[in-house]
């Protein structure tokens, strides 16, 4: 079972933006059906509507469950440590 990982407001924003993108791309695709960019926009808009309805975003899920250990590793080369100075 998929647990929701986005909130209600985020879901409503995704549904609204997804339907707007879907309506815009569909109207443009009716006039120029040979343009593939409108078809991609239709798929992306439908995906955003689906994410809003089920309240699950796979990108958010990947970021929440990823291991960001490569930022914590110390680089050692010839027994020297590299020091990061942000200034």
């Amino acid at each position: 079972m998929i647990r929701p990982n986005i909130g209600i407001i985020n879901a409503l924003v995704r549904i609204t933006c997804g339907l707007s993108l879907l309506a815009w791309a569909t109207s443009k695709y009716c006039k120029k059906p040979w343009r593939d960019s409108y078809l991609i926009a239709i798929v992306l808009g439908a995906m955003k509507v689906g994410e809003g309805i089920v309240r699950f975003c796979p990108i958010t899920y990947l970021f929440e469950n990823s291991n960001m250990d490569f930022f914590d590793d110390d680089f050692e080369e010839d027994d020297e440590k590299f020091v990061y100075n942000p200034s």
Side-chain angles (χ1 to χ4, degrees), residues 19-78:
L19 286 175
S20 298
L21 180 63
L22 191 61
W24 173 81
T26 303
S27 67
K28 294 289 185 176
Y29 188 68
C30 287
K31 283 189 164 191
K32 299 178 183 178
W34 58 88
R35 301 285 302 259
D36 292 334
S37 60
Y38 297 135
L39 193 59
I40 292 170
I42 289 171
V43 170
L44 291 177
M47 185 179 70
K48 288 297 163 191
V49 171
E51 288 176 2
I53 291 172
V54 298
R55 292 183 50 202
F56 179 79
C57 179
I59 304 298
T60 304
Y61 177 77
L62 288 175
F63 277 113
E64 287 176 353
N65 294 329
S66 67
N67 294 330
M68 301 296 260
D69 292 336
F70 57 89
F71 289 122
D72 298 332
D73 291 341
D74 292 329
F75 293 106
E76 294 184 16
E77 191 173 298
D78 298 331

